Amino acid sequence: MRTNLFLLLVLVALNPVQARKIKRIPSPSITKISETMISPATQVKIYGQGFIRGMPNAHKVILSKGKIKLRAKVIKANGDMLQLQVPEVIELGDYQLSVKIRTRLLRSRASKASERLLLRPPAPSKPQLNYQTLEHADQITELIEKEAGIYYQEPEELSIGNNEIKAFYFQDGYQSLLSKASNFFYLPELAVKSQLKLESEAPVKSYAVSQFLNARYDVSEATQEEQEELARHYYLSTPSSERYLEHSIELSPVYIAELHVTEPEYAILNNRSSKEFKLTDCILSDAVRKRYQFDKQILNAKSKFKLEANLGLNNSSPDHLELSCQEQSIDRFSYEKVDSGGFGVKLR
């Protein structure tokens, strides 16, 4: 079809006599509308055959409802697709869509889409949730603050794990488009284990683990974090529990904050506690051997200590350095990459 149209245009351009005549061509066909329910001032695509590629203005698309007839602007044309801009000022309702080709030289009859284009009020903002987690099914009434004139599409029955809620309203007797979904989690106490499973702290990657099934639910987006001096806490908040499924991590007072892998090699030790820390009987070691033995150094409260020494750090392959005190592991710094400054990029 496109080849025939191209040849016809070439012949008309080369023949001045023919240029005075209007050529009737087959009507384009419409097979599908990308979205049948849309709001004014939005774009929609119609798919079919017989459109003229690269000539959007050659297509006349009419939206009809009773005596109302409005033209939709074609902003892009391919051989099998037209992209339309729906008018901003248009009455809500169900419209018949038709398209025909009309230029100075070419004409076709109009063809109609089998589907109606349903013009509806635009969607409201997605619901703002008071909580992202529910512990009991009846807590759904506490999920959002009701707003006058706004209705909510809630799940008929809550599923364990992720659920969603959408908002809509009515205008001129028509229901609006649905808002984007707000997600929340339904995690009954008897259905999940009592603590979150934490896979990563930065960024937070956490899961609620099923008590009976081989399943887990990614609740990272709902997980809250609290930092204490020597502990981190990860938890969910529900209407009945501020710290639901809490997972706590005890932190060592001293940890390896940075490793400079290239020459000169050095480690930065940080004391996060409010008390001094004696490094007596502490060592730094890797998988091969002990790399440094501390003597009687004291790391003051809330302070850092730079240790420059031959630590045997690899700068072209993965490596680690471990801090142990009195034969107990205190912290481990593992890396696979080295940044442009020569520092190991710590694995989380």
Side-chain angles (χ1 to χ4, degrees), residues 294-332:
F294 290 93
D295 188 12
K296 295 182 180 180
Q297 292 99 324
I298 293 177
L299 190 52
N300 293 326
K302 303 291 184 180
S303 67
K304 294 184 177 181
F305 173 72
K306 180 179 179 180
L307 171 67
E308 189 169 333
N310 180 11
L311 301 174
L313 300 171
N314 296 330
N315 56 17
S316 59
S317 60
D319 202 356
H320 75 270
L321 196 66
E322 188 166 10
L323 173 65
S324 301
C325 296
Q326 299 175 358
E327 299 184 352
Q328 181 179 356
S329 178
I330 300 298
D331 189 40
R332 179 186 174 106

mmCIF file of all heavy atoms in Angstrom, residues 294-332:
data_model
loop_
_atom_site.group_PDB
_atom_site.id
_atom_site.type_symbol
_atom_site.label_atom_id
_atom_site.label_comp_id
_atom_site.label_asym_id
_atom_site.label_seq_id
_atom_site.Cartn_x
_atom_site.Cartn_y
_atom_site.Cartn_z
ATOM 1 N N PHE A 294 48.610 -4.540 67.150
ATOM 2 C CA PHE A 294 48.574 -3.315 67.958
ATOM 3 C C PHE A 294 49.283 -3.556 69.294
ATOM 4 O O PHE A 294 49.318 -4.694 69.804
ATOM 5 C CB PHE A 294 47.125 -2.885 68.206
ATOM 6 C CG PHE A 294 46.427 -2.375 66.976
ATOM 7 C CD1 PHE A 294 45.681 -3.239 66.177
ATOM 8 C CD2 PHE A 294 46.533 -1.046 66.616
ATOM 9 C CE1 PHE A 294 45.040 -2.782 65.048
ATOM 10 C CE2 PHE A 294 45.887 -0.571 65.479
ATOM 11 C CZ PHE A 294 45.137 -1.449 64.689
ATOM 12 N N ASP A 295 49.798 -2.482 69.864
ATOM 13 C CA ASP A 295 50.487 -2.589 71.145
ATOM 14 C C ASP A 295 49.580 -2.104 72.259
ATOM 15 O O ASP A 295 48.721 -2.832 72.739
ATOM 16 C CB ASP A 295 51.792 -1.784 71.102
ATOM 17 C CG ASP A 295 52.649 -2.001 72.331
ATOM 18 O OD1 ASP A 295 52.351 -2.931 73.110
ATOM 19 O OD2 ASP A 295 53.618 -1.253 72.507
ATOM 20 N N LYS A 296 49.680 -0.848 72.633
ATOM 21 C CA LYS A 296 48.845 -0.308 73.714
ATOM 22 C C LYS A 296 48.109 0.956 73.271
ATOM 23 O O LYS A 296 47.825 1.833 74.070
ATOM 24 C CB LYS A 296 49.710 0.002 74.934
ATOM 25 C CG LYS A 296 50.334 -1.236 75.565
ATOM 26 C CD LYS A 296 51.152 -0.865 76.803
ATOM 27 C CE LYS A 296 51.768 -2.115 77.431
ATOM 28 N NZ LYS A 296 52.571 -1.771 78.640
ATOM 29 N N GLN A 297 47.833 1.024 71.967
ATOM 30 C CA GLN A 297 47.142 2.204 71.463
ATOM 31 C C GLN A 297 45.720 2.279 72.037
ATOM 32 O O GLN A 297 45.078 1.267 72.272
ATOM 33 C CB GLN A 297 47.067 2.191 69.938
ATOM 34 C CG GLN A 297 48.424 2.359 69.252
ATOM 35 C CD GLN A 297 48.996 1.034 68.813
ATOM 36 O OE1 GLN A 297 48.813 0.030 69.504
ATOM 37 N NE2 GLN A 297 49.697 1.029 67.681
ATOM 38 N N ILE A 298 45.301 3.518 72.239
ATOM 39 C CA ILE A 298 43.946 3.778 72.724
ATOM 40 C C ILE A 298 43.239 4.662 71.700
ATOM 41 O O ILE A 298 43.778 5.697 71.294
ATOM 42 C CB ILE A 298 43.963 4.470 74.100
ATOM 43 C CG1 ILE A 298 44.527 3.511 75.163
ATOM 44 C CG2 ILE A 298 42.552 4.911 74.505
ATOM 45 C CD1 ILE A 298 44.653 4.123 76.543
ATOM 46 N N LEU A 299 42.063 4.236 71.305
ATOM 47 C CA LEU A 299 41.270 5.012 70.354
ATOM 48 C C LEU A 299 40.222 5.775 71.155
ATOM 49 O O LEU A 299 39.333 5.170 71.776
ATOM 50 C CB LEU A 299 40.602 4.075 69.340
ATOM 51 C CG LEU A 299 39.920 4.721 68.129
ATOM 52 C CD1 LEU A 299 40.839 5.672 67.401
ATOM 53 C CD2 LEU A 299 39.439 3.629 67.178
ATOM 54 N N ASN A 300 40.383 7.100 71.192
ATOM 55 C CA ASN A 300 39.481 7.927 72.002
ATOM 56 C C ASN A 300 38.045 7.856 71.491
ATOM 57 O O ASN A 300 37.787 7.492 70.348
ATOM 58 C CB ASN A 300 39.958 9.383 72.010
ATOM 59 C CG ASN A 300 41.277 9.545 72.731
ATOM 60 O OD1 ASN A 300 41.551 8.833 73.713
ATOM 61 N ND2 ASN A 300 42.117 10.462 72.257
ATOM 62 N N ALA A 301 37.090 8.212 72.353
ATOM 63 C CA ALA A 301 35.669 8.196 72.018
ATOM 64 C C ALA A 301 35.389 9.110 70.823
ATOM 65 O O ALA A 301 35.960 10.207 70.722
ATOM 66 C CB ALA A 301 34.843 8.629 73.219
ATOM 67 N N LYS A 302 34.560 8.641 69.939
ATOM 68 C CA LYS A 302 34.127 9.417 68.770
ATOM 69 C C LYS A 302 35.316 9.971 67.974
ATOM 70 O O LYS A 302 35.315 11.124 67.544
ATOM 71 C CB LYS A 302 33.210 10.567 69.190
ATOM 72 C CG LYS A 302 31.969 10.163 69.965
ATOM 73 C CD LYS A 302 30.977 9.406 69.112
ATOM 74 C CE LYS A 302 29.698 9.080 69.864
ATOM 75 N NZ LYS A 302 28.728 8.346 69.042
ATOM 76 N N SER A 303 36.327 9.146 67.777
ATOM 77 C CA SER A 303 37.521 9.616 67.076
ATOM 78 C C SER A 303 37.966 8.606 66.029
ATOM 79 O O SER A 303 37.491 7.463 66.000
ATOM 80 C CB SER A 303 38.668 9.865 68.072
ATOM 81 O OG SER A 303 39.097 8.639 68.640
ATOM 82 N N LYS A 304 38.901 9.036 65.184
ATOM 83 C CA LYS A 304 39.450 8.188 64.136
ATOM 84 C C LYS A 304 40.949 8.008 64.346
ATOM 85 O O LYS A 304 41.616 8.844 64.978
ATOM 86 C CB LYS A 304 39.185 8.794 62.750
ATOM 87 C CG LYS A 304 37.718 8.844 62.369
ATOM 88 C CD LYS A 304 37.535 9.371 60.953
ATOM 89 C CE LYS A 304 36.054 9.360 60.554
ATOM 90 N NZ LYS A 304 35.858 9.832 59.175
ATOM 91 N N PHE A 305 41.456 6.912 63.819
ATOM 92 C CA PHE A 305 42.883 6.605 63.950
ATOM 93 C C PHE A 305 43.376 6.124 62.602
ATOM 94 O O PHE A 305 42.811 5.197 62.007
ATOM 95 C CB PHE A 305 43.083 5.527 65.023
ATOM 96 C CG PHE A 305 44.495 5.026 65.124
ATOM 97 C CD1 PHE A 305 45.497 5.815 65.671
ATOM 98 C CD2 PHE A 305 44.825 3.747 64.682
ATOM 99 C CE1 PHE A 305 46.800 5.345 65.765
ATOM 100 C CE2 PHE A 305 46.125 3.273 64.766
ATOM 101 C CZ PHE A 305 47.114 4.073 65.317
ATOM 102 N N LYS A 306 44.445 6.758 62.104
ATOM 103 C CA LYS A 306 45.022 6.366 60.824
ATOM 104 C C LYS A 306 46.241 5.502 61.075
ATOM 105 O O LYS A 306 47.190 5.917 61.738
ATOM 106 C CB LYS A 306 45.406 7.603 60.008
ATOM 107 C CG LYS A 306 46.030 7.273 58.642
ATOM 108 C CD LYS A 306 46.364 8.546 57.874
ATOM 109 C CE LYS A 306 47.000 8.225 56.528
ATOM 110 N NZ LYS A 306 47.335 9.445 55.759
ATOM 111 N N LEU A 307 46.190 4.277 60.514
ATOM 112 C CA LEU A 307 47.307 3.357 60.648
ATOM 113 C C LEU A 307 47.945 3.147 59.285
ATOM 114 O O LEU A 307 47.341 2.560 58.396
ATOM 115 C CB LEU A 307 46.827 2.009 61.208
ATOM 116 C CG LEU A 307 47.867 0.894 61.203
ATOM 117 C CD1 LEU A 307 49.000 1.199 62.174
ATOM 118 C CD2 LEU A 307 47.237 -0.444 61.518
ATOM 119 N N GLU A 308 49.180 3.651 59.115
ATOM 120 C CA GLU A 308 49.906 3.474 57.861
ATOM 121 C C GLU A 308 50.908 2.351 58.050
ATOM 122 O O GLU A 308 51.787 2.410 58.911
ATOM 123 C CB GLU A 308 50.595 4.770 57.451
ATOM 124 C CG GLU A 308 51.191 4.715 56.059
ATOM 125 C CD GLU A 308 51.632 6.071 55.548
ATOM 126 O OE1 GLU A 308 51.055 7.086 55.986
ATOM 127 O OE2 GLU A 308 52.550 6.108 54.710
ATOM 128 N N ALA A 309 50.758 1.289 57.267
ATOM 129 C CA ALA A 309 51.620 0.118 57.414
ATOM 130 C C ALA A 309 51.513 -0.730 56.157
ATOM 131 O O ALA A 309 50.657 -0.491 55.290
ATOM 132 C CB ALA A 309 51.201 -0.694 58.643
ATOM 133 N N ASN A 310 52.375 -1.728 56.053
ATOM 134 C CA ASN A 310 52.308 -2.688 54.956
ATOM 135 C C ASN A 310 51.214 -3.695 55.298
ATOM 136 O O ASN A 310 51.427 -4.631 56.070
ATOM 137 C CB ASN A 310 53.657 -3.387 54.764
ATOM 138 C CG ASN A 310 53.612 -4.391 53.626
ATOM 139 O OD1 ASN A 310 52.654 -4.432 52.837
ATOM 140 N ND2 ASN A 310 54.641 -5.227 53.536
ATOM 141 N N LEU A 311 50.034 -3.509 54.712
ATOM 142 C CA LEU A 311 48.878 -4.330 55.043
ATOM 143 C C LEU A 311 48.629 -5.439 54.026
ATOM 144 O O LEU A 311 47.665 -6.194 54.150
ATOM 145 C CB LEU A 311 47.633 -3.442 55.158
ATOM 146 C CG LEU A 311 47.732 -2.330 56.221
ATOM 147 C CD1 LEU A 311 46.518 -1.415 56.149
ATOM 148 C CD2 LEU A 311 47.866 -2.943 57.614
ATOM 149 N N GLY A 312 49.493 -5.530 53.008
ATOM 150 C CA GLY A 312 49.383 -6.602 52.021
ATOM 151 C C GLY A 312 48.098 -6.573 51.218
ATOM 152 O O GLY A 312 47.549 -7.627 50.862
ATOM 153 N N LEU A 313 47.598 -5.392 50.909
ATOM 154 C CA LEU A 313 46.309 -5.260 50.223
ATOM 155 C C LEU A 313 46.462 -5.390 48.712
ATOM 156 O O LEU A 313 47.340 -4.777 48.109
ATOM 157 C CB LEU A 313 45.677 -3.909 50.566
ATOM 158 C CG LEU A 313 45.393 -3.681 52.060
ATOM 159 C CD1 LEU A 313 44.977 -2.242 52.300
ATOM 160 C CD2 LEU A 313 44.324 -4.646 52.556
ATOM 161 N N ASN A 314 45.596 -6.184 48.095
ATOM 162 C CA ASN A 314 45.592 -6.325 46.633
ATOM 163 C C ASN A 314 44.881 -5.135 46.011
ATOM 164 O O ASN A 314 43.815 -4.733 46.480
ATOM 165 C CB ASN A 314 44.872 -7.612 46.213
ATOM 166 C CG ASN A 314 45.582 -8.856 46.705
ATOM 167 O OD1 ASN A 314 46.796 -8.858 46.858
ATOM 168 N ND2 ASN A 314 44.812 -9.901 46.968
ATOM 169 N N ASN A 315 45.456 -4.587 44.949
ATOM 170 C CA ASN A 315 44.789 -3.474 44.272
ATOM 171 C C ASN A 315 44.270 -3.863 42.894
ATOM 172 O O ASN A 315 43.756 -3.022 42.162
ATOM 173 C CB ASN A 315 45.708 -2.250 44.166
ATOM 174 C CG ASN A 315 47.024 -2.567 43.480
ATOM 175 O OD1 ASN A 315 47.158 -3.584 42.808
ATOM 176 N ND2 ASN A 315 48.003 -1.704 43.672
ATOM 177 N N SER A 316 44.371 -5.141 42.540
ATOM 178 C CA SER A 316 43.850 -5.582 41.243
ATOM 179 C C SER A 316 42.961 -6.809 41.376
ATOM 180 O O SER A 316 42.503 -7.349 40.369
ATOM 181 C CB SER A 316 45.014 -5.898 40.289
ATOM 182 O OG SER A 316 45.845 -6.914 40.832
ATOM 183 N N SER A 317 42.690 -7.255 42.582
ATOM 184 C CA SER A 317 41.824 -8.410 42.799
ATOM 185 C C SER A 317 41.134 -8.266 44.151
ATOM 186 O O SER A 317 41.596 -7.505 45.016
ATOM 187 C CB SER A 317 42.621 -9.720 42.741
ATOM 188 O OG SER A 317 43.633 -9.724 43.733
ATOM 189 N N PRO A 318 40.024 -8.950 44.371
ATOM 190 C CA PRO A 318 39.299 -8.836 45.646
ATOM 191 C C PRO A 318 40.172 -9.189 46.842
ATOM 192 O O PRO A 318 41.047 -10.050 46.761
ATOM 193 C CB PRO A 318 38.146 -9.832 45.480
ATOM 194 C CG PRO A 318 37.963 -9.971 44.017
ATOM 195 C CD PRO A 318 39.326 -9.843 43.426
ATOM 196 N N ASP A 319 39.927 -8.514 47.946
ATOM 197 C CA ASP A 319 40.708 -8.757 49.158
ATOM 198 C C ASP A 319 39.895 -8.290 50.356
ATOM 199 O O ASP A 319 38.808 -7.703 50.202
ATOM 200 C CB ASP A 319 42.044 -8.003 49.089
ATOM 201 C CG ASP A 319 43.103 -8.619 50.015
ATOM 202 O OD1 ASP A 319 42.770 -9.577 50.748
ATOM 203 O OD2 ASP A 319 44.238 -8.130 50.006
ATOM 204 N N HIS A 320 40.419 -8.525 51.552
ATOM 205 C CA HIS A 320 39.746 -8.041 52.756
ATOM 206 C C HIS A 320 40.775 -7.834 53.862
ATOM 207 O O HIS A 320 41.904 -8.359 53.804
ATOM 208 C CB HIS A 320 38.674 -9.033 53.222
ATOM 209 C CG HIS A 320 39.235 -10.256 53.886
ATOM 210 N ND1 HIS A 320 39.565 -11.388 53.184
ATOM 211 C CD2 HIS A 320 39.526 -10.508 55.199
ATOM 212 C CE1 HIS A 320 40.033 -12.301 54.016
ATOM 213 N NE2 HIS A 320 40.028 -11.793 55.245
ATOM 214 N N LEU A 321 40.369 -7.075 54.859
ATOM 215 C CA LEU A 321 41.168 -6.875 56.064
ATOM 216 C C LEU A 321 40.225 -7.006 57.246
ATOM 217 O O LEU A 321 39.135 -6.414 57.249
ATOM 218 C CB LEU A 321 41.840 -5.497 56.055
ATOM 219 C CG LEU A 321 42.992 -5.317 57.060
ATOM 220 C CD1 LEU A 321 44.168 -6.220 56.679
ATOM 221 C CD2 LEU A 321 43.451 -3.862 57.097
ATOM 222 N N GLU A 322 40.647 -7.812 58.230
ATOM 223 C CA GLU A 322 39.787 -8.094 59.370
ATOM 224 C C GLU A 322 40.428 -7.591 60.654
ATOM 225 O O GLU A 322 41.625 -7.767 60.874
ATOM 226 C CB GLU A 322 39.535 -9.598 59.478
ATOM 227 C CG GLU A 322 38.492 -9.971 60.515
ATOM 228 C CD GLU A 322 38.024 -11.406 60.366
ATOM 229 O OE1 GLU A 322 38.639 -12.165 59.582
ATOM 230 O OE2 GLU A 322 37.027 -11.775 61.028
ATOM 231 N N LEU A 323 39.621 -6.956 61.500
ATOM 232 C CA LEU A 323 40.062 -6.481 62.818
ATOM 233 C C LEU A 323 39.562 -7.455 63.871
ATOM 234 O O LEU A 323 38.356 -7.690 63.993
ATOM 235 C CB LEU A 323 39.518 -5.075 63.090
ATOM 236 C CG LEU A 323 39.765 -4.514 64.492
ATOM 237 C CD1 LEU A 323 41.264 -4.302 64.738
ATOM 238 C CD2 LEU A 323 39.001 -3.208 64.695
ATOM 239 N N SER A 324 40.500 -8.031 64.650
ATOM 240 C CA SER A 324 40.152 -8.959 65.724
ATOM 241 C C SER A 324 40.796 -8.489 67.022
ATOM 242 O O SER A 324 41.944 -7.999 67.009
ATOM 243 C CB SER A 324 40.638 -10.375 65.409
ATOM 244 O OG SER A 324 40.066 -10.842 64.215
ATOM 245 N N CYS A 325 40.049 -8.620 68.102
ATOM 246 C CA CYS A 325 40.558 -8.249 69.424
ATOM 247 C C CYS A 325 40.312 -9.412 70.381
ATOM 248 O O CYS A 325 39.170 -9.907 70.467
ATOM 249 C CB CYS A 325 39.886 -6.987 69.951
ATOM 250 S SG CYS A 325 40.220 -5.519 68.941
ATOM 251 N N GLN A 326 41.370 -9.837 71.024
ATOM 252 C CA GLN A 326 41.300 -10.964 71.951
ATOM 253 C C GLN A 326 40.670 -12.177 71.268
ATOM 254 O O GLN A 326 39.776 -12.838 71.796
ATOM 255 C CB GLN A 326 40.531 -10.581 73.222
ATOM 256 C CG GLN A 326 41.195 -9.443 73.993
ATOM 257 C CD GLN A 326 40.393 -8.974 75.190
ATOM 258 O OE1 GLN A 326 39.296 -9.462 75.444
ATOM 259 N NE2 GLN A 326 40.947 -8.025 75.934
ATOM 260 N N GLU A 327 41.160 -12.411 70.021
ATOM 261 C CA GLU A 327 40.765 -13.549 69.190
ATOM 262 C C GLU A 327 39.278 -13.548 68.811
ATOM 263 O O GLU A 327 38.726 -14.571 68.419
ATOM 264 C CB GLU A 327 41.128 -14.877 69.897
ATOM 265 C CG GLU A 327 42.618 -15.023 70.139
ATOM 266 C CD GLU A 327 42.970 -16.375 70.740
ATOM 267 O OE1 GLU A 327 42.025 -17.119 71.096
ATOM 268 O OE2 GLU A 327 44.163 -16.674 70.853
ATOM 269 N N GLN A 328 38.643 -12.402 68.919
ATOM 270 C CA GLN A 328 37.254 -12.264 68.509
ATOM 271 C C GLN A 328 37.166 -11.248 67.372
ATOM 272 O O GLN A 328 37.699 -10.141 67.471
ATOM 273 C CB GLN A 328 36.382 -11.807 69.676
ATOM 274 C CG GLN A 328 34.907 -11.674 69.312
ATOM 275 C CD GLN A 328 34.049 -11.236 70.478
ATOM 276 O OE1 GLN A 328 34.534 -11.099 71.602
ATOM 277 N NE2 GLN A 328 32.783 -11.007 70.232
ATOM 278 N N SER A 329 36.499 -11.632 66.277
ATOM 279 C CA SER A 329 36.369 -10.735 65.129
ATOM 280 C C SER A 329 35.503 -9.533 65.489
ATOM 281 O O SER A 329 34.388 -9.681 65.990
ATOM 282 C CB SER A 329 35.752 -11.480 63.947
ATOM 283 O OG SER A 329 35.584 -10.604 62.844
ATOM 284 N N ILE A 330 36.040 -8.349 65.229
ATOM 285 C CA ILE A 330 35.330 -7.098 65.525
ATOM 286 C C ILE A 330 34.704 -6.515 64.268
ATOM 287 O O ILE A 330 33.561 -6.070 64.259
ATOM 288 C CB ILE A 330 36.289 -6.067 66.167
ATOM 289 C CG1 ILE A 330 36.857 -6.612 67.478
ATOM 290 C CG2 ILE A 330 35.565 -4.743 66.408
ATOM 291 C CD1 ILE A 330 35.832 -6.893 68.547
ATOM 292 N N ASP A 331 35.459 -6.517 63.172
ATOM 293 C CA ASP A 331 34.944 -5.952 61.917
ATOM 294 C C ASP A 331 35.748 -6.524 60.761
ATOM 295 O O ASP A 331 36.893 -6.973 60.920
ATOM 296 C CB ASP A 331 35.042 -4.420 61.927
ATOM 297 C CG ASP A 331 34.313 -3.780 60.747
ATOM 298 O OD1 ASP A 331 33.220 -4.276 60.406
ATOM 299 O OD2 ASP A 331 34.840 -2.826 60.161
ATOM 300 N N ARG A 332 35.134 -6.476 59.569
ATOM 301 C CA ARG A 332 35.769 -6.984 58.351
ATOM 302 C C ARG A 332 35.445 -6.044 57.204
ATOM 303 O O ARG A 332 34.281 -5.707 56.976
ATOM 304 C CB ARG A 332 35.262 -8.396 58.053
ATOM 305 C CG ARG A 332 35.832 -9.034 56.790
ATOM 306 C CD ARG A 332 35.123 -10.358 56.575
ATOM 307 N NE ARG A 332 35.496 -10.998 55.324
ATOM 308 C CZ ARG A 332 36.291 -12.048 55.215
ATOM 309 N NH1 ARG A 332 36.818 -12.593 56.308
ATOM 310 N NH2 ARG A 332 36.567 -12.584 54.035
#
